[in-house]
Amino acid sequence: SQQGEEDPQALSIQEGENATMNCSYKTSINNLQWYRQNSGRGLVHLILIRSNEREKHSGRLRVTLDTSKKSSSLLITASRAADTASYFCANAGGTSYGKLTFGQGTILTVHP
Amino acid sequence: EPEVTQTPSHQVTQMGQEVILRCVPISNHLYFYWYRQILGQKVEFLVSFYNNEISEKSEIFDDQFSVERPDGSNFTLKIRSTKLEDSAMYFCASSPQGASYNEQFFGPGTRLTVL
């Protein structure tokens, strides 16, 4: 399997529900980042969790990191229709120059 | 709020032609990147650039590709002889430090269509 795989590949929920997306990676990391991409647009950084952190919050976002399982999860609480987008995890590992290795992404649809 | 800009937003070219994609990173950033995303696929790293030289490149970034920071503000990606499979969205990104420490800021992308 490829590094940085998210599951599920697609998630459809109602407004107000929570959305959880998971990401697995293969190599060691300096940090793991989550990005959002609206259809046909650029990537927007959401949150960064360092390898020595286990959990991080930012507004309605909660990210966890389990380095023993090489996995991370992104939780969006109280989702809104505007959260509809693709969500990618990206592994910033290896060199200090910061190459990001992206996963396949989760397509989230929030129905009003 | 400062942002990364890219031009053009859409470029159509004939196979075998040269294209130059342009980016203006955020002004005080030191690390610059190009990524591409083929339609329906994941974002792929092409190259990173620091201190006026390539710091890392992927297998995709072969001799047909080159990058340049000609004037201290622009950052360009040149594809010397385009192929059909070069059709993709190309994203420029910049970071104040390498993404090992910080997030990357992405531009809106240039959609390249090779006919």
Side-chain angles (χ1 to χ4, degrees):
Chain A
S1 63
Q2 293 183 21
Q3 178 167 295
E5 290 195 333
E6 287 96 336
D7 75 88
Q9 292 185 337
L11 182 60
S12 182
I13 59 175
Q14 294 296 128
E15 217 168 23
E17 293 180 340
N18 295 342
T20 300
M21 289 159 269
N22 302 298
C23 164
S24 63
Y25 58 92
K26 292 190 121 180
T27 62
S28 62
I29 60 169
N30 287 317
N31 64 64
L32 195 103
Q33 303 180 27
W34 285 87
Y35 288 81
R36 184 185 74 208
Q37 183 181 36
N38 289 80
S39 180
R41 307 288 294 278
L43 294 136
V44 175
H45 181 263
L46 295 175
I47 195 165
L48 180 154
I49 186 164
R50 303 196 189 282
S51 59
N52 60 352
E53 296 175 312
R54 292 297 165 257
E55 186 171 314
K56 200 161 182 180
H57 297 254
S58 176
R60 294 185 296 114
L61 304 180
R62 173 178 164 249
V63 170
T64 63
L65 180 65
D66 187 335
T67 53
S68 67
K69 294 181 180 176
K70 289 188 164 61
S71 67
S72 174
S73 68
L74 172 69
L75 168 68
I76 304 174
T77 60
S79 63
R80 305 165 182 166
D83 295 329
T84 294
S86 292
Y87 291 82
F88 297 89
C89 69
N91 176 351
T95 71
S96 62
Y97 300 111
K99 162 189 170 182
L100 289 177
T101 301
F102 283 85
Q104 295 282 359
T106 294
I107 301 171
L108 174 66
T109 304
V110 182
H111 300 280
Chain B
E1 188 173 328
E3 59 183 19
V4 176
T5 60
Q6 290 185 244
T7 55
S9 57
H10 191 187
Q11 173 94 45
V12 181
T13 190
Q14 295 291 326
M15 190 170 57
Q17 295 295 306
E18 174 184 287
V19 294
I20 298 176
L21 309 182
R22 302 181 193 280
C23 168
V24 179
I26 294 173
S27 62
N28 61 345
H29 285 188
L30 301 177
Y31 293 78
F32 313 109
Y33 310 86
W34 284 101
Y35 294 84
R36 79 171 186 191
Q37 185 180 31
I38 294 170
L39 187 63
Q41 297 188 23
K42 64 181 179 180
V43 177
E44 300 174 289
F45 169 81
L46 292 177
V47 66
S48 60
F49 192 85
Y50 171 71
N51 202 24
N52 283 319
E53 61 182 22
I54 291 174
S55 47
E56 193 172 3
K57 61 183 181 179
S58 71
E59 291 175 355
I60 303 167
F61 195 88
D62 61 21
D63 292 344
Q64 293 300 313
F65 290 86
S66 61
V67 289
E68 199 177 29
R69 189 157 159 82
D71 56 12
S73 62
N74 290 283
F75 180 49
T76 62
L77 174 69
K78 182 193 290 187
I79 308 175
R80 195 164 302 125
S81 177
T82 50
K83 307 183 186 74
L84 295 176
E85 54 264 37
D86 293 328
S87 293
M89 196 77 162
Y90 287 81
F91 294 106
C92 172
S94 69
S95 179
Q97 301 177 53
S100 300
Y101 308 102
N102 277 109
E103 66 189 272
Q104 292 182 16
F105 293 79
F106 282 77
T110 292
R111 180 169 300 283
L112 176 64
T113 302
V114 182
L115 302 175

